[in-house]
Amino acid sequence: MKKSEILLKTTSLYLVYFLYTYFGSYIASLFSGIDSQLIMLLLDIIFLVVIVLVYKQVLKKDIQILKQEYSVKKVLKIVAIGFLSIVLLNIIIAALGTLLFENASMDQNTESIQNLASLSMLYTVFKTMIFGVVAEELLFRESLSDLIDNNVVFVLVSAIIYTIMNFVFTSEAFSISQILAYFLPALLFGTIYVKNKRNILFVMFTKFAYNVIPLVILISGV
């Protein structure tokens, strides 16, 4: 596929994601009597199906490579190192937030999950463990992979886009520490991706582990 075709495909996916997310509340208002969270859930499911179909061959290839070149032990080791690195990074971000910017009681990922859970637990589980792991990683990482060959540039650009997209839908003021709380983990996820032959499954597994702990704590009420 030519670069121009890849760019068109990537741009189209970002445009669709932006439009239905930004105008989600308006779309929901067109269906009176139906819960707005249900509408957003359905829209997310449609986008998830579409992006999985778009990258179906990539996912098949990555699964095949995973089976052929990696043992279960090696996969678990890579995921564990990635997970622990992100946990350590969040501790550092929280400490910097307290010392340099403002008090930081929790990492941005946990706070986002809690805010979402206040609306709907079902939607939270789907958005956190399925959509956030599969659709977002295909969009923010895989869709850019064929466009940017240089690993350093790729990691930086993907992290910048991911950070911007996490703030573009909010009208609230945000601080430098909040930006770093998205940007620095995104750098780490991008590094995991390029360090493992750009196999998106490693990022998905690591992000799943990263998301599951605050979700379990939230559900259990600890």
Side-chain angles (χ1 to χ4, degrees), residues 101-117:
F101 304 110
E102 76 281 322
N103 292 328
S105 58
M106 66 181 71
D107 66 88
Q108 205 66 37
N109 186 59
T110 302
E111 185 175 0
S112 298
I113 292 174
Q114 288 191 359
N115 291 337
L116 191 59

Side-chain angles (χ1 to χ4, degrees), residues 205-216:
F205 294 156
T206 305
K207 193 169 185 180
F208 184 92
Y210 176 57
N211 287 346
V212 74
I213 292 181
L215 184 62
V216 169

Side-chain angles (χ1 to χ4, degrees), residues 7-183:
L7 179 61
L8 177 61
K9 178 180 69 174
T10 300
T11 303
S12 298
L13 287 170
Y14 272 93
L15 183 60
V16 170
Y17 177 78
F18 174 82
L19 288 176
Y20 92 80
T21 304
Y22 189 80
F23 293 105
S25 58
Y26 173 74
I27 296 172
S29 69
L30 299 177
F31 299 88
S32 58
I34 302 178
D35 186 85
S36 61
Q37 291 301 314
L38 178 59
I39 298 297
M40 287 307 301
L41 174 61
L42 293 175
L43 291 173
D44 280 341
I45 290 174
I46 292 171
F47 184 80
L48 172 65
V49 171
V50 169
I51 200 167
V52 167
L53 289 176
V54 169
Y55 291 104
K56 179 174 65 175
Q57 295 305 320
V58 173
L59 289 170
K60 284 184 176 180
K61 181 199 70 175
D62 286 349
I63 291 172
Q64 186 177 15
I65 291 174
L66 196 71
K67 290 180 178 178
Q68 292 176 348
E69 300 183 12
Y70 295 86
S71 64
V72 174
K73 183 178 179 180
K74 187 173 182 180
V75 172
L76 291 175
K77 180 180 178 181
I78 293 171
V79 172
I81 292 173
F83 169 75
L84 292 174
S85 298
I86 294 175
V87 171
L88 178 60
L89 182 61
N90 276 316
I91 293 173
I92 295 173
I93 292 172
L96 288 175
T98 301
L99 292 173
L100 302 178
F101 304 110
E102 76 281 322
N103 292 328
S105 58
M106 66 181 71
D107 66 88
Q108 205 66 37
N109 186 59
T110 302
E111 185 175 0
S112 298
I113 292 174
Q114 288 191 359
N115 291 337
L116 191 59
S118 65
L119 301 174
S120 169
M121 185 56 69
L122 173 63
Y123 189 47
T124 301
V125 173
F126 168 78
K127 194 79 170 180
T128 304
M129 306 312 301
I130 301 176
F131 189 89
V133 170
V134 180
E136 287 188 1
E137 289 309 313
L138 288 175
L139 181 65
F140 295 121
R141 233 74 63 180
E142 191 62 49
S143 72
L144 300 172
S145 183
D146 291 333
L147 288 173
I148 307 173
D149 297 324
N150 184 280
N151 285 339
V152 175
V153 175
F154 168 81
V155 170
L156 286 172
V157 171
S158 62
I160 290 171
I161 292 176
Y162 175 78
T163 303
I164 291 174
M165 293 298 283
N166 272 283
F167 286 104
V168 75
F169 301 114
T170 179
S171 59
E172 298 178 4
F174 46 86
S175 64
I176 294 176
S177 63
Q178 287 176 310
I179 294 173
L180 292 177
Y182 281 108
F183 180 69

